[in-house]
Amino acid sequence: GSVIAFSLYKHITYDEAMQLGNGYAFRDMVFEEQIGYLATVATKEGFTGLGVATALVEKSLENMREKGATHFISTAWKHYGIINIGSVLENAGFRKETDIPNYWYDASVREGFQCPQCGNPCTCSCVIYTKI
């Protein structure tokens, strides 16, 4: 009767992928018109390690494939060297593409938001994963 997990995904253009990567050039995706972007996978505390995130990733990819995506990108947050979703993405065939240190630092200072991991300023890195 309650939500234990969710995922957010959508189709993006190559230009949008480059914006996510702070200008990083995704050479294997340059000619793709629609890239599947897995933005978020979250599992409620107490339900981790049960395969829920794995099932959500697979279902998200399946849904994006049905809409024409053949290449995929996902962002993951790294804090103190830990990437919570990293092993799930790698088991689904994703590979690490690039690591962007202090990804939200400037925005957190400018906008004053609190990162749930490190407060303000945010010093988390963004790890970009791709699946071709």
Side-chain angles (χ1 to χ4, degrees):
S2 68
V3 175
I4 62 164
F6 69 92
S7 67
L8 299 173
Y9 55 90
K10 64 180 181 176
H11 284 83
I12 62 173
T13 64
Y14 179 77
D15 288 340
E16 290 171 308
M18 281 187 58
Q19 287 175 351
L20 281 172
N22 284 350
Y24 181 82
F26 297 91
R27 290 177 297 281
D28 294 334
M29 295 186 185
V30 72
F31 299 110
E32 293 303 309
E33 291 182 15
Q34 288 197 25
I35 298 166
Y37 172 44
L38 180 60
T40 302
V41 176
T43 305
K44 186 175 181 178
E45 195 172 323
F47 292 91
T48 57
L50 301 174
V52 176
T54 298
L56 280 174
V57 167
E58 289 302 324
K59 188 63 175 172
S60 299
L61 294 175
E62 178 184 320
N63 289 344
M64 288 187 281
R65 274 189 205 98
E66 288 175 1
K67 302 271 194 250
T70 57
H71 292 63
F72 302 91
I73 188 170
S74 186
T75 48
W77 305 112
K78 181 169 78 172
H79 183 71
Y80 293 127
I82 298 169
I83 308 167
N84 289 333
I85 193 74
S87 63
V88 172
L89 292 173
E90 289 171 13
N91 288 337
F94 282 84
R95 68 177 172 88
K96 288 181 191 174
E97 186 77 31
T98 189
D99 189 326
I100 306 167
N102 300 316
Y103 189 81
W104 289 105
Y105 186 90
D106 290 341
S108 71
V109 170
R110 183 178 58 251
E111 298 170 24
F113 66 77
Q114 295 289 317
C115 169
Q117 297 295 317
C118 48
N120 184 287
C122 177
T123 58
C124 293
S125 295
C126 177
V127 180
I128 308 275
Y129 285 85
T130 57
K131 178 179 171 86
I132 306 297

